[in-house]
């Protein structure tokens, strides 16, 4: 069982927007702004999409955005494209010893 | 260009040992925090261990006392020594850069190496 809770799956049609939630606790998501999101295509390594809750690395489309409210972080993908179909994982800093906790991953299907 | 290349994954019996390696290029492992993250088949990601630039280490409770992270600065490589392996350690193990200059997130990942623990 993962420390952070994500929906197992979400779906949307091309051009639509989808939001993936990531619920933690006051010890991880609620306590730190080191929340990141990773896209993982089948058989591939994860790819950083969002860091520090809202920041996008160079090369990541502006269609990807992140936010946080309390102990829940969210990833929103606007203007869905077929290539966005993948698994998405959230991650939060959780303190010195636990360090990082992840969600169980969400499978995004583009209809 | 940064590259992290893992090796060492294999099929091992329960109770056995394995040593994973992560060879880095484009970054100096001793100047970064380097982590191992694993993914069991069909499951989410799980942080395993970190090696801080200063040499200190941390481990997930699930591997504490069984796994040891280290580095070879001459080869710019990070290792994960895994002992007393269990079936639940079966996973793809990824090496990833964890922190640089106070910026903490996994921006570079290796391709992963598969560890299977089974009799």
């Amino acid at each position: 069982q993962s420390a952070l809770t994500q929906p197992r799956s979400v779906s949307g049609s091309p051009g639509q927007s989808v939001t993936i939630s990531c619920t933690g606790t006051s010890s991880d998501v609620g306590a730190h702004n080191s929340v990141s999101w990773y896209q993982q295509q089948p058989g591939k390594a994860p790819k950083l999409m969002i860091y520090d809750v809202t920041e996008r690395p160079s090369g990541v489309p502006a269609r990807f955005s992140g936010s946080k409210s309390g102990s829940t972080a969210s990833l929103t993908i606007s203007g869905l494209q077929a290539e966005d179909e993948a698994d998405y994982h959230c991650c939060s800093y959780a303190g010195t010893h636990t360090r990082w906790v992840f969600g169980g991953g969400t499978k995004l299907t583009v209809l | 260009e940064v590259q992290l290349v893992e090796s060492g994954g294999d099929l091992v019996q329960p109770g056995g040992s394995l040593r994973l390696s992560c060879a880095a290029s484009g970054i100096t492992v001793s100047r970064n925090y380097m982590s191992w993250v694993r993914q069991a088949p069909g499951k989410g990601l799980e942080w395993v261990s970190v090696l801080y630039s200063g040499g200190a280490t941390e481990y997930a409770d699930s591997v504490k006392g069984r796994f040891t992270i280290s580095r070879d600065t001459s080869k710019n490589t990070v290792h994960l020594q895994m002992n007393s392996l269990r079936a639940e350690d079966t996973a793809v193990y990824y090496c990833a850069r964890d922190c640089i200059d106070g910026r903490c997130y996994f921006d570079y990942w290796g391709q992963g190496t598969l560890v299977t623990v089974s009799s």
Side-chain angles (χ1 to χ4, degrees), chain A residues 30-110:
Chain A
H32 306 283
N33 284 328
S34 292
V35 175
S36 50
W37 290 89
Y38 301 87
Q39 178 191 69
Q40 188 177 31
Q41 302 287 357
K44 301 291 188 181
K47 174 188 175 184
L48 177 67
M49 303 302 285
I50 295 288
Y51 65 94
D52 292 351
V53 179
T54 61
E55 302 301 307
R56 272 180 299 106
S58 172
V60 172
R63 305 184 290 104
F64 291 83
S65 63
S67 63
K68 188 182 88 165
S69 177
S71 297
T72 297
S74 298
L75 172 71
T76 298
I77 309 171
S78 306
L80 269 179
Q81 298 183 5
E83 68 215 46
D84 299 333
E85 186 163 291
D87 291 330
Y88 290 85
H89 305 270
C90 64
C91 177
S92 173
Y93 182 71
T96 306
H97 297 296
T98 304
R99 189 147 183 89
W100 298 107
V101 289
F102 285 93
T106 298
K107 181 176 179 57
L108 168 63
T109 301
V110 181

Side-chain angles (χ1 to χ4, degrees), chain B residues 61-74:
Chain B
D61 287 343
S62 58
V63 306
K64 202 170 294 183
R66 300 186 299 123
F67 290 12
T68 303
I69 191 171
S70 63
R71 67 190 177 208
D72 182 337
T73 54
S74 68

Side-chain angles (χ1 to χ4, degrees), chain B:
Chain B
E1 181 194 7
V2 175
Q3 275 200 314
L4 301 174
V5 179
E6 301 97 336
S7 61
D10 204 347
L11 170 63
V12 61
Q13 291 189 341
S17 297
L18 213 53
R19 187 197 197 206
L20 306 183
S21 298
C22 169
S25 58
I27 62 170
T28 302
V29 296
S30 60
R31 296 179 189 166
N32 294 265
Y33 295 4
M34 299 297 296
S35 272
W36 287 93
V37 176
R38 68 184 180 183
Q39 185 172 33
K43 301 296 185 182
L45 300 169
E46 179 189 16
W47 173 77
V48 173
S49 179
V50 64
L51 176 55
Y52 296 111
S53 52
T57 59
E58 295 282 0
Y59 301 90
D61 287 343
S62 58
V63 306
K64 202 170 294 183
R66 300 186 299 123
F67 290 12
T68 303
I69 191 171
S70 63
R71 67 190 177 208
D72 182 337
T73 54
S74 68
K75 296 181 179 178
N76 206 30
T77 297
V78 179
H79 300 289
L80 186 68
Q81 176 67 41
M82 304 186 296
N83 299 329
S84 303
L85 283 162
R86 307 166 179 167
E88 54 265 36
D89 295 319
T90 294
V92 174
Y93 284 73
Y94 295 100
C95 168
R97 184 170 77 169
D98 182 321
C99 258
I100 177 69
D101 296 335
R103 304 188 305 273
C104 296
Y105 36 82
F106 300 111
D107 54 353
Y108 295 109
W109 297 71
Q111 85 286 354
T113 188
L114 176 62
V115 173
T116 303
V117 184
S118 175
S119 55

